[in-house]
Amino acid sequence: MPELPEVESLRRSLEPYIIGQDIRSVLVYKPKLVSAHGTVRLENLAKVAEFERELPGETISSIQRVAKNLLIHLQSGKVLLVHLKMTGQLVYQEGNENKALGGHPIQMSEQELPNKHSHIIFRLSRGTLYYNDVRMFGYVLYYPNLMTLQSIHSFDQLGMEPLSDAFDLELFKKELKSRKRVLKTALLSQDIVVGLGNIYVDEVCFRAGVSPHRVTNTLKEAELVKLYEAIKMILARAVEQGGSSVANYIMADGSRGTYAREHAVYGRAGKPCLICKTPLESTKIQSRTTVSCPQCQS
Ligand SMILES: [Zn+2]
């Protein structure tokens, strides 16, 4: 599952290629991917027709990320919302060369495009943008303007964006202290900070020296500050490294994400702690595997 650093890395890599390009045509092979965004989705052929009618002739003006959503803005004000979910991927190709590739790693897409997972194809003025998805939980939705998109996808219920100036220490402390929740659950919830998935929460708690099992209203001032700093540091580093997720994460420019090599706890249960050598413990929080050091984290 692509996490925030992978989606941000993909955004940054697509940006220099697709901005300013015109959409020449759009092909939709799997109608349900452009029909709606729920778990159970019916094919809506009117949505497909709208997609194929409204997009050709438009110029891409910017690409924005909100949590794990990508918003492709068109010059006229129209917007495309892309969510990769579990197994989605975007690849931008010029000639036969993959210029930008990111999201879920799909081996086949490195050799052959389109392939059986290519469900939406945008022909642009200089190249082709493929939306590929193995299990098809992702979506690419068309909106005539940003206001309509926002009336349906309530981004304002999301927590703070950790890579932006909006990530405020005082607000972060207040949100954690004001409710009694298990720390890991609170950080995964997306209502305080967005973009922290299972991997990054474990890494953040380790770096901050705080147990993910702690109850949030018992966290001390110094611990809250350490958690805040760890979130900023770890996510910034992960974006720089192209994200991690599972080993072999493919970056938008075709190289492999290398952040996985830097995981201190995730995927290392039973192995010695990098600081004190104590074997790392594996537990479950809300049925999510959680790895921490019983010595360094309290
Ligand atoms: Zn330790």
Side-chain angles (χ1 to χ4, degrees):
M1 158 91 87
E3 291 199 30
L4 182 142
E6 288 82 45
V7 178
E8 175 61 18
S9 176
L10 170 62
R11 188 196 72 76
R12 291 184 188 182
S13 310
L14 284 171
E15 199 167 45
Y17 290 108
I18 67 168
I19 304 303
Q21 289 216 53
D22 298 334
I23 299 174
R24 293 277 162 83
S25 66
V26 185
L27 290 165
V28 179
Y29 293 105
K30 277 285 177 290
K32 81 165 194 173
L33 296 179
V34 304
S35 295
H37 64 281
T39 319
V40 182
R41 274 178 259 167
L42 298 176
E43 294 189 349
N44 181 341
L45 293 180
K47 287 280 180 193
V48 176
E50 179 183 62
F51 213 82
E52 292 174 341
R53 183 183 66 236
E54 297 294 336
L55 294 173
E58 294 289 333
T59 305
I60 298 172
S61 59
S62 64
I63 175 165
Q64 176 194 6
R65 181 187 55 75
V66 180
K68 292 196 281 185
N69 302 277
L70 285 175
L71 273 62
I72 300 175
H73 295 276
L74 306 173
Q75 237 157 43
S76 61
K78 296 174 182 176
V79 200
L80 283 171
L81 171 67
V82 183
H83 201 305
L84 304 170
K85 290 284 174 180
M86 300 289 285
T87 56
Q89 175 193 63
L90 282 171
V91 185
Y92 173 68
Q93 199 177 56
E94 271 176 25
N96 283 322
E97 199 183 334
N98 291 350
K99 296 284 192 187
L101 184 156
H104 182 72
I106 303 173
Q107 205 71 41
M108 200 179 280
S109 301
E110 294 183 64
Q111 281 94 42
E112 190 194 346
L113 281 169
N115 58 51
K116 64 176 178 183
H117 303 302
S118 304
H119 305 307
I120 304 168
I121 301 176
F122 300 87
R123 302 266 178 226
L124 307 182
S125 30
R126 294 197 311 274
T128 307
L129 182 66
Y130 294 92
Y131 178 79
N132 307 321
D133 198 331
V134 178
R135 297 179 64 190
M136 292 185 282
F137 296 129
Y139 47 81
V140 181
L141 303 176
Y142 165 80
Y143 291 99
N145 52 56
L146 190 58
M147 208 192 286
T148 313
L149 182 151
Q150 284 169 333
S151 68
I152 293 160
H153 303 267
S154 46
F155 294 145
D156 49 358
Q157 283 170 18
L158 288 170
M160 291 178 278
E161 181 60 60
L163 296 171
S164 78
D165 294 341
F167 188 33
D168 179 71
L169 174 61
E170 293 311 312
L171 193 55
F172 176 73
K173 290 195 285 194
K174 202 176 123 206
E175 296 263 15
L176 281 175
K177 297 276 291 181
S178 66
R179 270 192 284 169
K180 209 172 151 181
R181 289 196 283 182
V182 171
L183 175 59
K184 180 160 180 172
T185 307
L187 293 179
L188 283 175
S189 72
Q190 313 297 306
D191 59 16
I192 301 174
V193 189
V194 299
L196 289 170
N198 203 36
I199 299 176
Y200 296 105
V201 170
D202 284 9
E203 294 298 319
V204 161
C205 290
F206 177 75
R207 172 165 282 264
V210 179
S211 164
H213 295 270
R214 283 284 294 279
V215 177
T216 51
N217 66 347
T218 69
L219 292 166
K220 298 188 177 64
E221 171 73 21
E223 292 172 327
L224 291 162
V225 173
K226 279 186 192 161
L227 285 165
Y228 172 80
E229 294 297 341
I231 290 169
K232 289 213 290 193
M233 213 292 289
I234 284 179
L235 290 180
R237 178 79 186 143
V239 171
E240 199 179 288
Q241 298 287 304
S244 48
S245 286
V246 203
N248 273 352
Y249 204 87
I250 304 163
M251 283 181 73
D253 65 1
S255 63
R256 305 266 170 181
T258 52
Y259 189 73
R261 281 189 222 136
E262 295 185 17
H263 291 163
V265 285
Y266 182 83
R268 298 193 66 244
K271 295 198 174 127
C273 167
L274 297 178
I275 297 170
C276 73
K277 307 281 187 277
T278 304
L280 296 174
E281 268 179 9
S282 178
T283 51
K284 296 259 184 197
I285 293 176
Q286 277 198 326
S287 79
R288 308 294 297 272
T289 298
T290 301
V291 184
S292 59
C293 175
Q295 286 296 322
C296 298
Q297 292 170 261
S298 55

